[in-house]
Amino acid sequence: MTSHRFSHTGPLKGTIRVPGDKSISHRALMFAGLAVGQSRITGLLEGEDVLATAAAMRQLGAQIERDPEGAWTVYGAGVGSLLEPKSALDMGNSGTSTRLLMGLVASHAITATFTGDASLSGRPMKRVIDPLSMMGASIEASAGGTLPLMLRGASPAVPITYHLPVASAQVKSAVLLAGLNTPGITRVIEPVPTRDHTERMLTGFGARLEVGEENGTRIIAIRGEADLRPMDVTVPGDPSSAAFFMVAATLVPGSDLTILNVGLNPTRAGLLAVLRQMGADIAEVNPREVGGEPVADLRVRHAPLSGVDVDPALAPSMIDEFPVLFVAAALASGTTRTTGLEELRVKESDRLATMASALQLAGTRVEEHEDGLTIHGTGGEPLTGTREGTSVATRLDHRIAMSMAVAGLVSRTGVSVDDTAPINTSFPTFMGMLDEAAG
C-alpha cells in the first residue's frame, strides 16, 4: 500500500489536460474491435481498467497496437466473428469492462470465463446476468451472482425488450451489445436517462439504432446482425477526472485554472450543474462537438459555495462525482443534503460509508443515511485534517483516494490517505498534475 499525506498548497493556476474519458475509451476499443477494417483512436485513457478491455478484445480476435505517440490502431474481428478466448478474461478492477464484454460475448457461439480483483469480485453482476440469460446465454456465476463467472454465448440469441429495473448505463450497454449479433430488434426501456455514450458511438460506427420516448421513458432499439464500419475516434477529456480539479480550484483561494477538452455530455454533466447551483464560477470556453460528443474548455475560478439539497434526479448524471461533491459540500456555507444514492453502496467501495468516515476523520460534520449523506459545511474555513498517525481508509477505491486528496488541499494539517495505488485504475497522472497546478 502506498500511503500519502496531501496538504495545503497555493492556488491552482494555468492549464491542464485531464486523461481521456474512461467510458468512451472502453467503448472505442470494443466497437473498433467489432468493426471490419482499421480504426484509429487518439486521446485514449491508458489506465489499468481500459488496458483490461484492450487485452480482452485481443483475446477475442481484434488486433490492437499502440504507436509511440499514443495513438491506438485497431483491426476489428467483425460482429459474429469473435474468437473463443484461450484463457480467462482478467477484468482487474473494471466493472465497465466486465458488464459490456459479457454483453458482447452473450450473442456469440463462444465460451468465456471472467475474473477480477477482490473489489470487482464483490460487485453485483446479476443485473447483467438476468437480461443476458433471457436472450439465451448460459451463465454460471459464483455464489451471490459475482465473478468469477463462465458465460456460454447463444447463437442465435433471442431479441428481448428489457425494462431496466435500475438506472445503469452498463446494463443498458450490455443488452444493446448483445443485440448487435442477435437477429431482429433488441430494445431497452430506461426509467431514467443514463449516460448515452454507447448509443452515440455505436451510431457513429454504423449500427442501426433508434431512440424514442414513450410515457416519459426512453426506448432504445438496435437492429441486430449489424455490420460495423471502422472510424477514427478522438476521446474527449474525462469529466469524472476533471471533477477533482473543478472542485479543487473552486475551493482553493486565488485559483484560476483552465481544464482543456472536457466532455460535457448532458448525461454526465450533473456535477457542473450542482456546483454552479452552489455558487461555483465555471465558464465553458470554446464549446465544440468531437465525434458526436459535446466538449469545451472549463475555466474554474475560486468561489465561495453555499449548501444545497441535491435533486436525486441528477444522480445518474453524476454518480461517480458524488465523493468529490461531498468534499465541496464540506467547505460550503450551510448544509448539503443528498438522497436517492443507494447505488453508491455497490461501487468500488460503499462510497456513502467510506466518504462519511473519511470526511469525519478530516474534521467534517456528516450524517449518513440509507440513501445519502447530510454534510454541514465549514463556510469556507479549512478542514482540521487528519491527526498524525491516522489515515483515511480508501477501500481500494480510486475516487475516494482522489477526493480526499482534494480535501487535503483545503485542510489545516493535511489529510493522510492509506493507499494511493488505486488511482492508477483511472488517472495515473493525477498526483503529478496536482503538484504542477499548485506549483
Side-chain angles (χ1 to χ4, degrees):
M1 288 169 83
T2 322
S3 63
H4 189 84
R5 193 165 187 85
F6 294 90
S7 35
H8 176 73
T9 58
L12 280 74
K13 297 275 193 183
T15 304
I16 61 167
R17 184 181 289 274
V18 293
D21 184 280
K22 192 162 134 181
S23 298
I24 296 174
S25 294
H26 281 302
R27 287 161 175 80
L29 285 169
M30 287 182 202
F31 304 169
L34 288 171
V36 177
Q38 177 185 328
S39 299
R40 192 164 180 273
I41 306 168
T42 49
L44 191 83
L45 168 65
E46 298 183 357
E48 290 165 3
D49 282 11
V50 174
L51 298 180
T53 291
M57 289 308 296
R58 283 192 185 106
Q59 280 187 265
L60 293 169
Q63 288 179 28
I64 302 178
E65 290 151 18
R66 179 191 188 276
D67 73 22
E69 278 72 61
W72 291 67
T73 305
V74 181
Y75 299 90
V79 174
S81 304
L82 296 184
L83 302 180
E84 183 157 300
K86 292 191 170 63
S87 56
L89 302 177
D90 182 356
M91 299 288 101
N93 185 242
S94 180
T96 306
S97 306
T98 311
R99 294 187 180 119
L100 270 60
L101 287 165
M102 282 172 67
L104 251 188
V105 170
S107 58
H108 287 78
I110 58 176
T111 297
T113 299
F114 291 82
T115 61
D117 69 8
S119 160
L120 181 62
S121 298
R123 296 180 67 182
M125 295 299 152
K126 187 175 185 310
R127 50 179 65 177
V128 198
I129 292 171
D130 288 348
L132 297 180
S133 300
M134 288 161 65
M135 296 179 79
S138 149
I139 300 161
E140 291 167 33
S142 301
T146 57
L147 300 190
L149 63 76
M150 187 166 86
L151 190 156
R152 284 190 183 79
S155 186
V158 183
I160 60 170
T161 295
Y162 191 64
H163 291 257
L164 280 181
V166 32
S168 166
Q170 292 178 4
V171 178
K172 168 178 68 174
S173 299
V175 176
L176 293 174
L177 291 183
L180 276 177
N181 197 43
T182 300
I185 294 177
T186 299
R187 292 181 182 85
V188 178
I189 300 174
E190 305 199 272
V192 184
T194 62
R195 44 182 80 176
D196 63 357
H197 304 301
T198 296
E199 295 95 306
R200 287 173 186 250
M201 194 183 286
L202 272 180
T203 302
F205 274 98
R208 288 175 295 170
L209 196 105
E210 283 175 22
V211 181
E213 289 222 357
E214 202 173 283
N215 306 330
T217 57
R218 267 176 102 232
I219 301 176
I220 305 118
I222 189 162
R223 189 174 291 278
E225 300 179 294
D227 288 317
L228 298 190
R229 48 175 189 261
M231 77 173 207
D232 292 348
V233 179
T234 303
V235 179
D238 194 323
S240 301
S241 297
F244 301 103
F245 287 94
M246 282 160 59
V247 170
T250 296
L251 296 182
V252 176
S255 295
D256 184 349
L257 182 71
T258 298
I259 312 167
L260 297 175
N261 193 44
V262 180
L264 292 181
N265 182 306
T267 63
R268 298 283 298 284
L271 178 72
L272 190 56
V274 173
L275 286 176
R276 283 178 172 153
Q277 198 188 342
M278 295 172 80
D281 178 356
I282 304 172
E284 290 168 39
V285 183
N286 186 17
R288 54 207 185 267
E289 193 162 288
V290 178
E293 293 278 349
V295 168
D297 305 328
L298 297 180
R299 183 179 182 189
V300 188
R301 283 171 276 203
H302 166 68
L305 300 181
S306 303
V308 293
D309 290 356
V310 180
D311 181 352
L314 285 170
S317 67
M318 55 181 293
I319 201 70
D320 285 329
E321 286 75 62
F322 276 103
V324 78
L325 175 72
F326 295 150
V327 176
L331 272 288
S333 300
T335 300
T336 297
R337 294 178 188 84
T338 60
T339 52
L341 302 184
E342 300 90 340
E343 179 69 11
L344 285 186
R345 295 203 181 272
V346 294
K347 288 293 196 176
E348 282 83 337
S349 67
D350 175 341
R351 285 181 174 161
L352 292 178
T354 309
M355 279 305 291
S357 55
L359 285 170
Q360 280 161 347
L361 268 181
T364 307
R365 280 175 55 217
V366 186
E367 290 142 33
E368 181 184 342
H369 312 288
E370 194 49 47
D371 68 339
L373 301 183
T374 297
I375 296 174
H376 304 281
T378 63
E381 288 298 307
L383 301 175
T384 51
T386 53
R387 290 196 307 276
E388 277 302 322
T390 57
S391 58
V392 162
T394 54
R395 312 247 175 248
L396 297 176
D397 190 326
H398 52 127
R399 298 200 198 280
I400 304 290
M402 290 184 278
S403 299
M404 293 313 294
V406 172
L409 304 184
V410 285
S411 65
R412 288 200 182 89
T413 60
V415 169
S416 288
V417 166
D418 67 353
D419 194 6
T420 56
I423 292 174
N424 291 330
T425 67
S426 69
F427 199 160
T429 52
F430 173 78
M431 311 266 282
M433 214 174 269
L434 200 55
D435 288 345
E436 198 177 317

